[in-house]
Amino acid sequence: MNTAFIYEHVRTPRGKGREDGALHNVTPVHLAAQTLSALRALSGLNPKLVGDVGLGIVTPVGEQGCDLTRFALLEAGYGDDAVGYQLNRFCTSGLDTVKMAAGIVASGQTEAAIGGGIEMMSRVTMGSDGGAAYSDPELRKRFPYIPNGVAGDLMATLNGITREDVDAYAAESQARATVAREEGRFLKSLVPVEDVQGNVVLEEDEAIRPGTTVEKLAQLKPAFTQMGEDGYDELLKHVYPEIDAIEHIHTGGNSSGIVDGACAVLVGSEMFGKISGLQPRVKIRAAASIASEPHLSLGGVIPVTEKVLQQANMQIEDIDLFEVNEAFAVVPLVYAKHFNIDRDKINTNGGSIALGHPLGATGAILLGTLVDELERRELATGLVTLCAAAGQSTALIIERV
């Protein structure tokens, strides 16, 4: 098996996922094409060396349907023979496409491949793709789909995480992201986004809220109480009889933000680097995916981390930095508590609470953030992990070259 290396990565700034957001008037295919063009320009990539390109898209309908990746590659000038696919495995999709790129490189099917993602949440509404989990009553009787916000509140209740805990974490995420933006820590990999006239519409992440305090966050009402009252709380109490009630503590302030964004990661073999005259930045040590109890849909980051560490023959202490997706504040809090990790090692530049969570792209964005931060701090190893709906999770370990 070949070793798969990450040679380069780029991402767009994340724009607010609403009609007045800076990226709203950019179409998904145009945003993805700009990202792929920037990756090619930054690396000097010869597209003919790329065997496959995958983009995570969690709502692959309308403007984001019809194998958007193929048309983005054509618009980006990769040529008629550039092949691409789109993937939906909920929030793990972006990282999964990088894992798939690494897999075909490691197996010798190609010398290089690209993974990444695109999600324009201001233009394509989350959940608008429908599906049996929402619409098939017989399936829902056997395998109920639990909204992630309710599952996050369940996770907090089971682990003794309080409203004060999640609000403090959210304020910390905002403060870290503010410092990172002010110090230019993201600039190395950011791609300014242009409209169809060539005017730059966004250069930096738009959703960060500097000056966020615990006191301000405490004024927000829980977002998922009504869902719980509509029947999900009673269902979950039957599954977890040890709890008397679910404490609904997550709000719009301590949950991930709805945003637009895209990213791309170039993966290649050692031979690819020699052919292209490029130096690898990190190597991929191990990757894993798991599915766990679906009612507690956010809890899979713990078992998938254990699995990927075992595959890499490593211990949690061997990891220098972590990116744990902030789908809800409870996830990194429980993760740090379970593994006894210093919080200063987790999401050091803020996370999806402050920067936003463009569903199909987030996993690959977090990976790129981890690469840059390992280099900035001159550290060696990093682990990125995300949870996803219905109890799925993914993880990947990288090591600086």
Side-chain angles (χ1 to χ4, degrees), residues 10-232:
V10 295
R11 73 168 177 91
T12 70
R14 281 164 273 193
K16 295 177 181 177
R18 57 196 194 203
E19 290 188 2
D20 63 349
L23 298 182
H24 175 68
N25 291 323
V26 181
T27 65
V29 71
H30 189 51
L31 189 69
Q34 288 188 60
T35 308
L36 291 165
S37 294
L39 181 68
R40 182 183 175 190
L42 183 62
S43 62
L45 174 65
N46 177 359
K48 293 189 179 299
L49 296 176
V50 178
D52 207 353
V53 179
L55 294 179
I57 305 174
V58 171
T59 313
V61 296
E63 294 180 320
Q64 292 184 165
C66 196
D67 194 2
L68 178 149
T69 309
R70 166 63 172 165
F71 298 98
L73 286 164
L74 292 171
E75 185 176 339
Y78 276 60
D80 292 349
D81 53 354
V83 61
Y85 67 93
Q86 62 188 47
L87 173 72
N88 174 20
R89 187 147 67 186
F90 303 122
C91 300
T92 69
S93 302
L95 191 59
D96 283 334
T97 61
V98 178
K99 289 165 56 181
M100 291 179 182
I104 62 173
V105 167
S107 64
Q109 296 178 57
T110 183
E111 297 297 339
I114 294 171
I118 163 78
E119 204 80 37
M120 294 292 292
M121 301 180 76
S122 71
R123 297 179 67 98
V124 183
T125 305
M126 179 172 56
S128 59
D129 53 334
Y134 306 109
S135 61
D136 185 336
E138 291 303 316
L139 180 70
R140 294 188 68 174
K141 286 180 183 178
R142 298 193 302 275
F143 307 106
Y145 177 87
I146 306 299
N148 281 345
V150 179
D153 290 337
L154 169 66
M155 189 176 187
T157 302
L158 290 171
N159 288 276
I161 302 297
T162 67
R163 172 67 185 268
E164 291 74 19
D165 293 332
V166 292
D167 281 348
Y169 182 90
E172 181 181 80
S173 179
Q174 293 284 354
R176 289 181 175 186
T178 299
V179 170
R181 183 173 64 181
E182 290 175 350
E183 294 185 355
R185 297 182 190 178
F186 302 133
L187 293 178
K188 185 175 183 180
S189 307
L190 274 181
V191 178
V193 178
E194 300 177 353
D195 61 18
V196 291
Q197 284 80 36
N199 302 310
V200 174
V201 294
L202 189 62
E203 294 183 282
E204 292 187 327
D205 295 297
E206 184 182 30
I208 302 172
R209 298 186 296 275
T212 297
T213 64
V214 172
E215 290 74 23
K216 291 178 181 178
L217 292 170
Q219 297 173 17
L220 300 175
K221 293 182 179 180
F224 306 103
T225 303
Q226 187 59 55
M227 286 185 180
E229 293 175 352
D230 288 344
Y232 287 111

